[in-house]
Amino acid sequence: MFKSLYFGLLALVPLVFSHYTFPALVVNGARGGDWVNVRMTNNHYSNGPVTDVKSIDFRCYTSETNANATTVNVAAGSQLGFAANGNIYHPGVVNVYMAKAPGDVSSWDGSGSVWFKVYQLSAVTNGGSSISWPATALNTVTFTVPRNLPSGQYLVRVEAIALHSASTYGGAQFYISCGQINVTGGGSGNPGPKVAIPGVYTGNEPGILLNIYYPVPATYTQPGPAVWSG
């Protein structure tokens, strides 16, 4: 009995360590503490993903923790990133969304059509001969905060979409975190298009529901709206 239990637990080890969270923000190369500027997610122990794109957890994954965080100052035009607690293991892509709070971001849930995409890291294809995933093996996702983004407090949300089991509906795995930032020195841009999360995806998008192995996709369509660069 004990031997069976031992080997059963051992079999779970690769699964657990192939999953990950994004617990920390990185501002101009300086990494903050875990769950300081990022709202603690339900999977802070399990590392498990969200698979239901219609769930309220698809927004910030905090239905169990009900967490908020400390808001960090970030200058418009500077480098901002999310640090993972391990390398991004599975083949897949990354999106980063932001949403401007109407007041204090720490008491805001990010509801409504308020989210706009500021960064994406997609697949590389060459007509069906091969497909590669630049996000794989990264442990930090870094992007430039648009210089023309209006000043104010924002939620910033990362989603790494693992596609190794995406050939059936609900098979794509989403690793999600939301950080809290106060953008300083911003401009007068009008970010968009804006979407609601959940609501941005149905789960049937060609970049979410697909077999990445055979036949090798000739192209890849990144899910979500176009990136707003300011």
Side-chain angles (χ1 to χ4, degrees), residues 72-149:
V72 63
N73 289 331
V74 178
S78 63
Q79 294 293 297
L80 179 63
F82 279 88
N85 65 346
N87 290 350
I88 295 175
Y89 180 82
H90 296 299
V93 299
V94 172
N95 289 317
V96 178
Y97 290 86
M98 294 182 69
K100 192 174 191 296
D104 183 358
V105 69
S106 65
S107 59
W108 187 53
D109 66 357
S111 58
S113 296
V114 293
W115 296 89
F116 54 96
K117 190 192 289 186
V118 292
Y119 177 75
Q120 64 184 28
L121 184 56
S122 193
V124 177
T125 60
N126 63 358
S129 297
S130 66
I131 187 168
S132 61
W133 310 96
T136 302
L138 294 181
N139 57 26
T140 304
V141 174
T142 304
F143 65 99
T144 301
V145 177
R147 189 172 298 278
N148 207 27
L149 185 69

Side-chain angles (χ1 to χ4, degrees), residues 10-218:
L10 193 63
L12 291 175
V13 170
L15 179 63
V16 172
F17 282 95
S18 65
H19 294 174
Y20 37 88
T21 64
F22 291 95
L25 290 184
V26 182
V27 181
N28 287 325
R31 187 188 192 281
D34 287 0
W35 312 118
V36 175
N37 306 124
V38 175
R39 296 179 176 183
M40 182 179 285
T41 51
N42 298 351
N43 67 338
H44 62 281
Y45 287 132
S46 71
N47 288 359
V50 177
T51 56
D52 182 0
V53 300
K54 300 175 183 178
S55 165
I56 191 61
D57 273 327
F58 194 65
R59 187 181 299 150
C60 289
Y61 206 1
T62 57
S63 66
E64 296 173 9
T65 63
N66 296 311
N68 56 26
T70 300
T71 304
V72 63
N73 289 331
V74 178
S78 63
Q79 294 293 297
L80 179 63
F82 279 88
N85 65 346
N87 290 350
I88 295 175
Y89 180 82
H90 296 299
V93 299
V94 172
N95 289 317
V96 178
Y97 290 86
M98 294 182 69
K100 192 174 191 296
D104 183 358
V105 69
S106 65
S107 59
W108 187 53
D109 66 357
S111 58
S113 296
V114 293
W115 296 89
F116 54 96
K117 190 192 289 186
V118 292
Y119 177 75
Q120 64 184 28
L121 184 56
S122 193
V124 177
T125 60
N126 63 358
S129 297
S130 66
I131 187 168
S132 61
W133 310 96
T136 302
L138 294 181
N139 57 26
T140 304
V141 174
T142 304
F143 65 99
T144 301
V145 177
R147 189 172 298 278
N148 207 27
L149 185 69
S151 298
Q153 296 194 10
Y154 288 82
L155 283 174
V156 55
R157 173 187 176 275
V158 64
E159 62 177 27
I161 312 174
L163 297 170
H164 59 293
S165 298
S167 58
T168 58
Y169 185 86
Q173 299 177 356
F174 294 81
Y175 297 89
I176 296 165
S177 283
C178 287
Q180 295 178 192
I181 66 171
N182 179 51
V183 173
T184 62
S188 57
N190 184 24
K194 292 179 180 175
V195 297
I197 301 176
V200 60
Y201 311 137
T202 66
N204 290 303
E205 288 77 9
I208 294 176
L209 180 59
L210 77 163
N211 187 329
I212 65 172
Y213 299 108
Y214 185 82
V216 175

